[in-house]
Amino acid sequence: MATGTRRLARIPADGLSELIEAGRRMGAVDLALGSPGWPRPPKAMIDQACAALRDGNNQYGDMRGNGELRAALGQSFRTPADPDTELTITVGAAEGLAVAMLGVLDPGDEIVVFEPFFEPYLVSIATASAVPRFVRVRPPDWRWDATALAAAIGPRTKAILVNTPNNPTGHVLEEDEWAVIAELCERHDLLVISDEVYASYVYDGGQHISAADVPGLRDRAIVVGSFSKSHAISGWRIGFLRAAPALTRALRSIHIGLTGGAPVPLQQAVARSGLVDGQDWDPRPDLQQLRDKAVRIFRGVGLRCTSPRGGCYVVAELGPYGREDCRSFVRRLAIDLGVLLAPGQLFLSDRTSDSGFVRIAFNKPHAYLDTAQGRLATLEPKR
Ligand code: PMP
């Protein structure tokens, strides 16, 4: 019996959800998954969602996305977007990414991916029958090497995939890095797919720079965003795509054909909460404190952490625990101590080599991190 297409063979087994399930069964403190535990979703959004359901907004709506939401979103960016021609509301950034890949990659086309990367990228790329070309970035600064990036571009390259602020590394793309990407895109006539799901999580007074803010990239960029993290509503499945009008027309046709639109009452609730632009809703001060606490806790047991400038993860190199493969380290922490972290391998293309790092999600209540700290007190390197 057929068990799937050839393109499915390129999709790696989904490591993270298996791990989370096992951790939950064991009652571990879950610092592996970035599912928001903090901040709490804004009350205004919950109230608007209940009202939207009760008021009868329960059927198909504008499949490009709720008009009020697109209008508010378009105005919320540093470089405003036209809600009619440049914005589409998607079923989370997950759908946005898949639509972006399907919209611009033909079978056999190549896309440059910085590694480590958000695991599901490989699913979207494989679904489009395209081929990832990896460029490795390394701690502590996680910046890429311009020569390595240029070398990854070949005759079949169609796009560069970036993620800023980055999951897992926390790296936030700087102006000079964007300038290099813009120059390469122009020289080789490439698109950039820019995953900006963590746009509102930049710390220490830093600023998120979107691909749409970069001169020369605005017409070459597909920006993928989401309310999952910015407003802690990952279960509502509301994301968006921003692209120039001609690209938007193509992306919308795929989005509408695949989904029939994102959840209607929930889009309305987000739009009417009045919180889209982040003026009256800023989770950064809280998250920055949680970041500092996570870094303190894990440095305290000897792991080598760089304090991330953005996102909601700390990457920790194993340091004194480096004799252990990162997967056995994670297993030991989960089974012996009840603390669940994500092994670095999950974010690499070669799952067989040892990554030497773990990822720690810090968008959790303080009490959660305190429990983890208590449980880690007896942690020692293996002899
Ligand atoms: N991109 C990155 C980098 C992510 O971390 C996530 C969610 N963890 C997504 C995309 C998907 O977000 P959404 O919930 O909007 O589908």
Side-chain angles (χ1 to χ4, degrees), residues 15-361:
L16 202 49
S17 46
E18 255 170 50
L19 180 77
I20 306 302
E21 267 320 301
R24 279 198 185 130
R25 279 197 303 274
M26 291 186 285
V29 180
D30 174 9
L31 303 180
L33 198 65
S35 177
W38 198 264
R40 303 274 185 231
K43 182 176 178 306
M45 274 191 192
I46 310 270
D47 291 345
Q48 287 288 350
C50 296
L53 290 163
R54 290 211 177 91
D55 293 348
N57 296 283
N58 298 302
Q59 312 307 335
Y60 302 123
D62 184 334
M63 293 184 188
R64 301 166 303 173
N66 175 295
E68 280 176 60
L69 181 55
R70 280 185 286 118
L73 195 58
Q75 279 310 308
S76 73
F77 302 121
R78 181 136 63 112
T79 309
D82 183 324
D84 289 330
T85 60
E86 296 183 324
L87 288 177
T88 307
I89 307 299
T90 57
V91 182
E95 188 233 333
L97 281 161
V99 165
M101 306 290 178
L102 288 169
V104 302
L105 300 174
D106 278 310
D109 280 349
E110 294 180 5
I111 178 164
V112 176
V113 179
F114 296 100
E115 181 178 25
F117 51 82
F118 175 55
E119 194 193 2
Y121 289 158
L122 296 190
V123 179
S124 308
I125 295 170
T127 307
S129 296
V131 180
R133 290 280 171 233
F134 300 105
V135 174
R136 191 71 189 259
V137 294
R138 297 191 189 274
D141 65 357
W142 302 107
R143 282 170 69 102
W144 33 264
D145 171 56
T147 317
L149 174 56
I153 297 170
R156 294 292 317 252
T157 310
K158 269 278 186 61
I160 300 175
L161 174 61
V162 299
N163 174 211
T164 182
N166 191 274
N167 173 9
T169 70
H171 183 66
V172 175
L173 277 185
E174 309 268 6
E175 223 166 292
D176 61 322
E177 294 169 286
W178 272 124
V180 172
I181 291 173
E183 195 275 318
L184 285 170
C185 285
E186 220 155 304
R187 185 166 2 134
H188 299 280
D189 194 19
L190 308 179
L191 294 162
V192 64
I193 298 177
S194 185
D195 178 347
E196 302 179 11
V197 161
Y198 297 96
S200 56
Y201 290 4
V202 180
Y203 310 116
D204 308 319
Q207 255 208 335
H208 167 71
I209 304 174
S210 167
D213 300 326
V214 180
L217 276 188
R218 202 167 161 194
D219 290 340
R220 296 181 176 278
I222 300 179
V223 176
V224 184
S226 174
F227 291 92
S228 287
K229 298 284 157 56
S230 64
H231 294 74
I233 48 169
S234 60
W236 287 22
R237 313 305 305 131
I238 301 182
F240 59 87
L241 282 168
R242 172 185 189 166
L247 264 174
T248 290
R249 278 194 293 279
L251 300 176
R252 279 180 178 171
S253 65
I254 304 171
H255 159 72
I256 290 170
L258 277 179
T259 68
V264 166
L266 302 181
Q267 291 183 70
Q268 179 179 310
V270 174
R272 299 204 175 160
S273 68
L275 300 176
V276 170
D277 64 10
Q279 299 271 353
D280 297 315
W281 172 258
D282 186 358
R284 282 174 302 183
D286 271 5
L287 284 165
Q288 190 169 310
Q289 274 189 9
L290 288 162
R291 173 199 67 175
D292 294 343
K293 185 171 193 157
V295 167
R296 226 174 19 248
I297 292 171
F298 285 91
R299 278 187 187 156
V301 294
L303 292 168
R304 267 193 232 130
C305 312
T306 316
S307 182
R309 292 191 50 231
C312 61
Y313 309 97
V314 172
V315 169
E317 292 176 86
L318 294 197
Y321 303 91
R323 278 205 195 164
E324 263 172 287
D325 175 274
C326 82
R327 274 167 301 201
S328 35
F329 179 71
V330 163
R331 207 170 304 120
R332 178 157 79 93
L333 256 64
I335 295 171
D336 295 355
L337 302 177
V339 176
L340 190 66
L341 307 179
Q345 256 98 350
L346 291 180
F347 311 98
L348 297 179
S349 53
D350 177 3
R351 297 262 181 96
T352 58
S353 69
D354 182 24
S355 69
F357 70 85
V358 289
R359 188 192 74 174
I360 301 149

